[in-house]
Amino acid sequence: MSRRIYRQAMHKGRFYPASFGLGPEACAAWRSEFSFDLPEIVAVRSDEGEQGTTTKMVLRLQDGFEVESVCIPMGRGRHTLCVSSQVGCKMRCTFCETGRMGLLRHLTTDEIIAQLLVARHRLGLPIRNVVFMGMGEALDNPDNVMQALRVLNDDAGLAISQERLTICTVGHAEGIRLLLRQGFKRLNLSISLNAASDALRSQLMPINRRTDLAELQSVLMAYRPRRNFALGVNYCLMPGINDTQADAAAVAEFCRPLGRGLVNLIPYNPGSQPIARAPDDAEVERFIGWLRAAGLPVRERVTKGRSVMAACGQLGNPDVRARGRLRAVTIP
Ligand code: SF4
């Protein structure tokens, strides 16, 4: 009985016992064991594109912090929800708006799941895939993220298959090892590479000073949850920074020992303090050509949601840090 109610609650987005026709005693038992309130929707912004509408939603959590999630159209009626796992992020990637906020706090499992429930049940968005690529480094919040994966994947609940779930990481070595031990055999994993020389990557992504490319490569070579696993390698192309033929050759060199994989080329989306301009089509095509000539499968990630600051690297509000009421709980 309880699993049937759980399933219905997840599928219909109703979390009040009376809505299931339960008697007063059962309602009281429910309330004593379980409470779940969906976060308030603060803003919804949409951007029309060729493949459909990209929707960014801003949600207010119970303690007043706000997180952002983006629903991305993937064509043929399919949508991917890009969820946040933290308020802010301590990784401080230089090209990312969230990185400028610093880490304010981890999201709890229910706050991660709530993003999907709000998108589906409050906004009516048909979500098929979930990718942990919103605000925060998912593997820096492993307990809540792994539990969220279990809830998303649970047959009795949301029942989203592992093939439709993706963890994206800057290359958090301990997190990747931990993820492997969880036994999610069909889960997707992608890393943000963005540079394949230690000097440049350390400049763009401070985590590289702790886990250099050689260590990251060896952790990824050991990540084999199934025989036909294919790693996603995200590369954000920034003109004048990481867009030369030598950069492409270094990417190919890094990827070669990793086995099956796909490079997702993401044109840089300038945020509030851009470190480069957005590349033009010719620059993107040229870089893709170099990667393909080096034998790498490459897909260009079409930019969606840039006009509403919903594209990759544009989530987050660095001004949050300046608000005194939030500063007190900042994690160093
Ligand atoms: S790119 Fe990801 S890991 Fe890097 S600062 Fe932004 S949210 Fe954090």
Side-chain angles (χ1 to χ4, degrees):
M1 176 68 170
S2 58
R3 274 184 93 70
R4 192 162 57 82
I5 290 178
Y6 168 65
R7 186 183 175 82
Q8 292 233 345
M10 287 299 200
H11 278 260
K12 298 191 172 164
R14 298 193 325 227
F15 300 99
Y16 305 101
S19 67
F20 292 95
L22 299 177
E25 218 173 290
C27 286
W30 171 312
R31 286 198 199 91
S32 70
E33 291 295 320
F34 178 80
S35 80
F36 188 84
D37 290 314
L38 291 181
E40 177 194 349
I41 301 172
V42 179
V44 177
R45 299 190 187 102
S46 299
D47 182 31
E48 298 298 330
E50 275 174 28
Q51 288 190 326
T53 306
T54 298
T55 305
K56 172 164 114 170
M57 55 183 196
V58 183
L59 303 179
R60 183 169 298 134
L61 307 172
Q62 282 193 345
D63 58 5
F65 282 115
E66 290 173 4
V67 283
E68 301 179 2
S69 327
V70 183
C71 178
I72 307 158
M74 306 305 289
R76 289 179 291 172
R78 292 171 305 152
H79 288 74
T80 293
L81 187 69
C82 182
V83 295
S84 294
S85 53
Q86 296 177 317
V87 185
C89 182
K90 72 176 183 203
M91 297 299 158
R92 297 190 180 276
C93 304
T94 53
F95 47 84
C96 171
E97 202 76 3
T98 311
R100 276 193 274 278
M101 294 171 69
L103 176 63
L104 297 168
R105 76 165 170 84
H106 298 311
L107 293 189
T108 58
T109 299
D110 57 300
E111 288 168 339
I112 295 170
I113 299 296
Q115 297 168 61
L116 175 73
L117 296 174
V118 169
R120 271 189 179 168
H121 302 301
R122 297 289 182 269
L123 301 183
L125 300 169
I127 308 296
R128 186 179 150 90
N129 307 299
V130 176
V131 50
F132 285 75
M133 207 175 175
M135 296 166 67
E137 160 59 42
L139 297 180
D140 189 43
N141 180 15
D143 294 347
N144 290 303
V145 166
M146 311 263 174
Q147 183 60 10
L149 288 172
R150 287 184 204 103
V151 174
L152 290 165
N153 186 229
D154 182 4
D155 281 344
L158 289 159
I160 299 178
S161 66
Q162 288 180 29
E163 289 90 339
R164 293 197 271 123
L165 302 173
T166 303
I167 292 286
C168 180
T169 173
V170 281
H172 193 293
E174 308 100 81
I176 295 170
R177 290 190 193 103
L178 183 67
L179 189 62
L180 184 62
R181 292 200 293 274
Q182 305 305 303
F184 294 115
K185 293 217 173 303
R186 311 218 56 87
L187 181 76
N188 298 304
L189 177 71
S190 69
I191 57 143
S192 296
L193 183 62
N194 305 323
S197 80
D198 279 315
L200 180 56
R201 195 165 190 268
S202 294
Q203 213 179 310
L204 295 173
M205 304 173 71
I207 191 166
N208 199 76
R209 296 171 204 159
R210 197 172 81 199
T211 303
D212 65 10
L213 286 162
E215 186 185 351
L216 177 60
Q217 197 181 48
S218 111
V219 171
L220 293 171
M221 284 166 72
Y223 188 86
R224 284 291 166 273
R226 59 180 184 273
R227 275 212 350 247
N228 63 349
F229 171 73
L231 178 74
V233 176
N234 300 326
Y235 195 90
C236 177
L237 191 69
M238 295 172 259
I241 294 180
N242 65 353
D243 65 338
T244 66
Q245 191 165 7
D247 291 316
V251 172
E253 190 68 22
F254 177 83
C255 291
R256 204 158 284 132
L258 300 181
R260 287 187 68 198
L262 176 68
V263 177
N264 294 305
L265 197 86
I266 306 169
Y268 174 64
N269 296 302
S272 63
Q273 295 172 45
I275 62 166
R277 61 176 170 78
D280 62 32
D281 291 349
E283 289 166 327
V284 171
E285 283 310 313
R286 186 180 59 182
F287 199 79
I288 288 177
W290 287 330
L291 292 177
R292 288 194 176 136
L296 290 180
V298 188
R299 173 176 63 185
E300 180 188 352
R301 180 91 58 79
V302 179
T303 297
K304 296 166 190 166
R306 192 182 277 167
S307 73
V308 292
M309 291 289 278
C312 274
Q314 291 186 314
L315 298 187
N317 179 359
D319 295 341
V320 165
R321 222 173 216 294
R323 293 186 214 157
R325 75 188 172 85
L326 300 181
R327 203 179 290 142
V329 294
T330 299
I331 299 169

